[in-house]
Amino acid sequence: MDRLVKADVKEVNMVFSKNQKCCTTFKLTNLMHTMAVAVSFNTTNPSLFSFTHPFSIIPPLGTASFTLLLSKPSDQPPLSTPPENVLVRSSMLPTGKANQEDLRRLFSKPGPHIFKDVTIPIAFVGPRVIEFLLSSSNTLEIAFVLSKAISWCDESQLGSLLRSAVMSGNCYVASVLVDAGADVNRREADGESVMALAVKSGNIEMVRFLIESSCVIDHLKDRFLHAAGSANRVDIMEVLCMGYLDIDVNSVDSEGRTPLHIGASYGYIEVLEFLITLGSDPDRGDFKGWTPLHCASNEGHVAAVEFLLNSCNYVKYAVTKEGKTAFDLAVENGRTDLYDMLHLGDVLHRSARKGDVDEMRKCLAEGAKVNGRDQNGWTPLHKSSFKGWIDGVKVLLNHGARVDLVDGTGFTPLHRAVEAGHAQVAMLLIAHGAKASMKSLAVPLDLLCHKIERA
């Protein structure tokens, strides 16, 4: 006979609990029909494991249960590769009786009477083990332990563990959990989905995995584009729009803000460009009447304000429910870089067109850009020159207006002055460096000069 006892398991599974005493039981059966058997227990790591009864007696053909203890509570499972083992030795006991001291002496003497019956691997299992694996970078260790640990988790635990895997960005563990039955569409009491967690964590591979795993979108609750936009993750926004073809780029959050509002608040130009391209409405106000332009202006995002102004015609003049324009918000917050784009530039162009010198000086003093352009590429100097307002032209030149800038059709202020027949303005511009050598100007300019001489 090569062994005296048989274990009821091939592996001892211990459900690990953080900083708590852990134990597990297994059974041994005496294979002898007529004789009792003494057994001795040990492990490959005696400092880590212990038994409530290191020695015991099993009657003929009898079965007994034995408890393995984790000696020292720990905040993490003491995993090892290969695993630690339970070592069981046995010896026939003809008398069927012996005390603990007798058994200790029996197994202390090596010899043919001692059978090395059973070696049982020790495995740590349960949700706490998986939580630990999520923080591990040892792929071999994860693969070796994970499948065993998962088999001891119920449906609720699998769902909670999937959320942890998503937040940690561990796609491998997440995929194993889903294969084991974790529901990708399970939501917490607050309605938050695992996809929302993936987007917030910024893990694009996890977002792709969840889409491929049939994670659905609830259009009434989920605001994935808002979350991705707040993190400036256009790449994730692209994946979401490809994965959910019916996703609404104009969906609103609890404050009535669209993803475009969010991108504008942070000044993320790529987010704004992406959303506008997909049809996001730049004129839409939130529940307080704030448009994306209001949001960008309030935070002082110059590039975002400029982009939004170029994306719509009338939003500059939109007012909140408190009656405030984007310019008003810029003034309240001292965003001086925005004054020209949002208001002063318009006033300067209007006063240049009308020849209102006092208004022009006021605008320039408050920060209006003397060379700012309108939608046709005209500067204030183009407008004053075309209208023939020589005093206005002088004010603009004295404040640094450039005579060589061309408008949308390639015309300089000198072109416009000559075109409108304003000879004195044309000569003034030439005196300040405007070029009059182009053929298109030569004949008209000669005629104007001749008129001046005759006068």
Side-chain angles (χ1 to χ4, degrees):
M1 178 174 286
D2 58 352
R3 61 177 179 167
L4 304 179
V5 296
K6 177 182 178 181
D8 69 332
V9 294
K10 294 183 178 180
E11 187 174 65
V12 175
N13 294 303
M14 182 175 288
V15 178
F16 178 77
S17 296
K18 196 173 183 179
N19 294 319
Q20 296 181 23
K21 292 182 179 180
C22 306
C23 65
T24 186
T25 61
F26 61 94
K27 295 179 181 180
L28 292 178
T29 298
N30 182 356
L31 300 178
M32 301 295 289
H33 287 69
T34 60
M35 190 175 297
V37 171
V39 291
S40 168
F41 301 100
N42 208 335
T43 68
T44 49
N45 191 343
S47 65
L48 191 61
F49 301 98
S50 62
F51 284 86
T52 53
H53 300 290
F55 304 101
S56 188
I57 299 172
I58 307 176
L61 296 179
T63 298
S65 296
F66 303 95
T67 301
L68 174 67
L69 304 171
L70 182 62
S71 302
K72 299 177 181 178
S74 173
D75 62 350
Q76 63 185 44
L79 304 176
S80 62
T81 306
E84 305 291 353
N85 294 289
V86 173
L87 306 175
V88 181
R89 295 183 298 162
S90 62
S91 180
M92 289 182 284
L93 193 64
T95 62
K97 295 181 180 181
N99 58 35
Q100 289 291 304
E101 188 58 35
D102 293 335
L103 295 175
R104 183 175 290 105
R105 283 196 299 268
L106 173 65
F107 286 103
S108 65
K109 298 176 182 180
H113 65 289
I114 302 297
F115 289 73
K116 296 180 180 179
D117 284 275
V118 183
T119 299
I120 312 173
I122 303 171
F124 287 95
V125 296
R128 302 292 84 77
V129 174
I130 301 172
E131 288 177 355
F132 169 74
L133 293 176
L134 287 171
S135 64
S136 174
S137 59
N138 189 331
T139 305
L140 291 177
E141 180 181 81
I142 292 175
F144 182 80
V145 178
L146 187 58
S147 60
K148 296 175 183 176
I150 285 179
S151 64
W152 287 74
C153 299
D154 59 28
E155 182 179 344
S156 176
Q157 291 170 334
L158 288 175
S160 297
L161 290 167
L162 178 60
R163 296 178 71 83
S164 298
V166 169
M167 286 188 288
S168 67
N170 195 317
C171 289
Y172 173 73
V173 173
S175 66
V176 175
L177 287 166
V178 170
D179 289 342
D183 183 3
V184 294
N185 291 308
R186 175 178 176 266
R187 295 175 181 263
E188 293 297 290
D190 60 3
E192 187 174 48
S193 68
V194 291
M195 179 61 82
L197 296 176
V199 173
K200 289 178 182 178
S201 69
N203 190 314
I204 191 169
E205 293 305 319
M206 184 64 73
V207 172
R208 288 196 180 101
F209 165 74
L210 292 174
I211 290 174
E212 292 168 0
S213 299
S214 302
C215 184
V216 300
I217 182 172
D218 184 335
H219 296 288
L220 296 177
K221 298 178 181 178
D222 296 322
R223 296 295 175 263
F224 301 153
L225 291 178
H226 289 73
S230 68
N232 200 22
R233 293 298 302 270
V234 176
D235 55 342
I236 291 180
M237 297 174 79
E238 291 176 343
V239 170
L240 289 168
C241 290
M242 290 292 291
Y244 302 113
L245 297 180
D246 59 344
I247 197 168
D248 183 7
V249 295
N250 287 308
S251 62
V252 298
D253 62 14
S254 59
E255 297 178 36
R257 300 175 300 177
T258 66
L260 196 65
H261 284 87
I262 303 300
S265 296
Y266 287 99
Y268 295 147
I269 298 299
E270 290 185 2
V271 170
L272 301 182
E273 291 175 342
F274 177 78
L275 291 169
I276 291 290
T277 301
L278 290 184
S280 188
D281 183 3
D283 293 308
R284 185 164 183 168
D286 63 14
F287 294 157
K288 294 181 180 179
W290 285 43
T291 64
L293 182 63
H294 283 98
C295 297
S297 300
N298 190 62
E299 299 299 329
H301 300 306
V302 176
V305 168
E306 185 175 11
F307 174 82
L308 290 167
L309 287 174
N310 291 330
S311 300
C312 47
N313 295 322
Y314 305 109
V315 72
K316 182 190 296 189
Y317 311 106
V319 295
T320 67
K321 289 188 175 180
E322 295 179 345
K324 296 179 180 179
T325 64
F327 175 71
D328 295 329
L329 294 176
V331 171
E332 285 182 6
N333 292 281
R335 313 296 188 186
T336 56
D337 290 346
L338 301 177
Y339 291 0
D340 178 75
M341 281 189 287
L342 294 173
H343 179 66
L344 294 180
D346 290 347
V347 177
L348 178 59
H349 276 266
R350 186 167 57 249
S351 59
R353 186 178 70 251
K354 293 181 178 180
D356 188 339
V357 175
D358 291 337
E359 186 68 23
M360 291 168 66
R361 288 196 179 100
K362 180 181 178 183
C363 288
L364 291 167
E366 291 177 354
K369 294 181 180 179
V370 71
N371 292 306
R373 299 175 183 273
D374 66 8
Q375 67 272 19
N376 297 312
W378 284 42
T379 66
L381 188 59
H382 279 88
K383 295 185 177 181
S384 284
S385 299
F386 181 72
K387 288 292 185 177
W389 304 123
I390 193 164
D391 288 338
V393 169
K394 290 178 180 178
V395 169
L396 293 170
L397 291 173
N398 290 336
H399 282 82
R402 290 175 56 183
V403 297
D404 57 341
L405 294 180
V406 296
D407 59 22
T409 56
F411 282 17
T412 65
L414 180 57
H415 278 99
R416 295 305 179 189
V418 172
E419 175 188 15
H422 301 304
Q424 290 184 332
V425 171
M427 300 306 294
L428 178 61
L429 292 171
I430 292 172
H432 280 77
K435 304 297 183 183
S437 59
M438 289 178 282
K439 291 182 180 180
S440 61
L441 279 175
V443 175
L445 191 56
D446 287 343
L447 291 174
L448 286 176
C449 292
H450 182 64
K451 288 181 180 180
I452 294 174
E453 291 174 357
R454 292 181 63 183

